[in-house]
Structures are given as structure tokens and as C-alpha cells.
Amino acid sequence: MKSLDGRVAVVAGATPGAGRGIARMLGEAGATVYCTGRSARGQSSPRGRAETIEETAEMVTSAGGLGIPVRVDHTVDAEVAALFEQVEKQSKRLDLLVNVFTGPPATWANFLKETPAEGRKFVEAWFWPRIVTAWHAAPIMAKKTSGLIVELVEQ
């Protein structure tokens, strides 16, 4: 028996690099992994990545888990809400959320040189998607009184 058989994970940002690797490793351990991101077959992300969530989900399944691709733009609250409604309806549980977001630098280095409006854009693009994603994941985990939320920055 694999160590994560019966466990359910969401990897937010599962298309490139670290997110893809983490999703695949969770699959090797037997988990069901919802692979999310903006790069899907026929619909590339604003960053124009060649990788897709479908490819990542296929890797998860080939590794021994179950990969489920779900196209989600984590900056769109309604899409994030719909993702977790799907997870709860299909899987009835959530054991792990891995937030792997790529984007602007993790610091607002030009604080004194930029306007508050530019600072707001930074917060909304960088921090807000993480907060919304975790906020929707937590109630599903709380029903089982267990779960883990991991935040990762890939630059």
C-alpha cells in the first residue's frame, strides 16, 4: 500500500517546475491530485508556458496516483471557489494544499518609489490568490480535523 492511498491533494500551480514535480511525487505515493493552473490544452497562460495541467495530471496517473486537471486562474475568486466545490463533491475530503505560485518578486522593493495603487496591484497579484486558495481549502480540511497547507514560491 502506498503511503498516500486515499488521500487528496490540490497543487495550485501544477503546470511548471516545482509544482509539476510535487504533483508527480504525490502521485507516486498514491494520492489523488487535482492539478491546477492556467496553462491547459488549447488555452495557454498569460506567461505562454508550453506545459499544461493535463500533462501534469497524466504524469501523476502514470506515477501511480490519480491526476485530475482543473484549469483555474487563482486570481479569479469564483474559479477558486468552483475548484474546491468540485474537490468536495468528487472526493469528499482534502488532505493537502500546495500553493506553488510563480510571479513577481516576493518583496515590494520599490516601496518608496511606487504609488499605493501599484502596491495594491502587487498585493492582489501576489498575496491575494494564496489567501483565497487557502481560505477555500481550509473548511474542507476542518471537516476531517486534519490537513496541511504548504506555501511555496518559485521564481
Side-chain angles (χ1 to χ4, degrees):
M1 184 168 174
K2 295 184 178 188
S3 61
L4 295 179
D5 275 346
R7 302 298 175 127
V8 178
V10 169
V11 178
T15 309
R20 177 172 270 195
I22 291 166
R24 187 184 182 289
M25 289 175 62
L26 291 168
E28 283 181 14
T32 295
V33 183
Y34 288 83
C35 304
T36 74
R38 295 179 292 183
S39 295
R41 289 187 180 131
Q43 190 172 6
S44 67
S45 77
R47 293 176 166 228
R49 292 210 176 265
E51 310 97 326
T52 67
I53 55 171
E54 292 87 358
E55 291 168 352
T56 302
E58 290 163 2
M59 292 170 92
V60 169
T61 300
S62 292
L66 173 62
I68 302 170
V70 184
R71 190 192 180 284
V72 177
D73 182 338
H74 286 268
T75 67
V76 179
D77 295 2
E79 290 185 21
V80 177
L83 162 67
F84 288 101
E85 288 169 7
Q86 178 181 345
V87 170
E88 189 164 30
K89 182 178 180 183
Q90 290 176 340
S91 297
K92 312 283 190 265
R93 67 181 299 146
L94 179 61
D95 302 289
L96 174 64
L97 166 64
V98 182
N99 268 333
V100 184
F101 290 107
T102 59
T107 62
W108 185 17
N110 296 319
F111 176 77
L112 294 175
K113 295 178 183 175
E114 294 179 356
T115 67
E118 290 168 316
R120 179 178 292 220
K121 283 176 70 174
F122 172 81
V123 168
E124 289 175 354
W126 186 248
F127 294 108
W128 190 248
R130 297 165 179 273
I131 292 166
V132 170
T133 301
W135 186 85
H136 283 286
I140 303 170
M141 293 175 175
K143 287 179 182 177
K144 299 279 186 194
T145 64
S146 70
L148 177 65
I149 297 173
V150 178
E151 292 287 332
L152 244 122
V153 177
E154 181 179 24
Q155 295 201 22

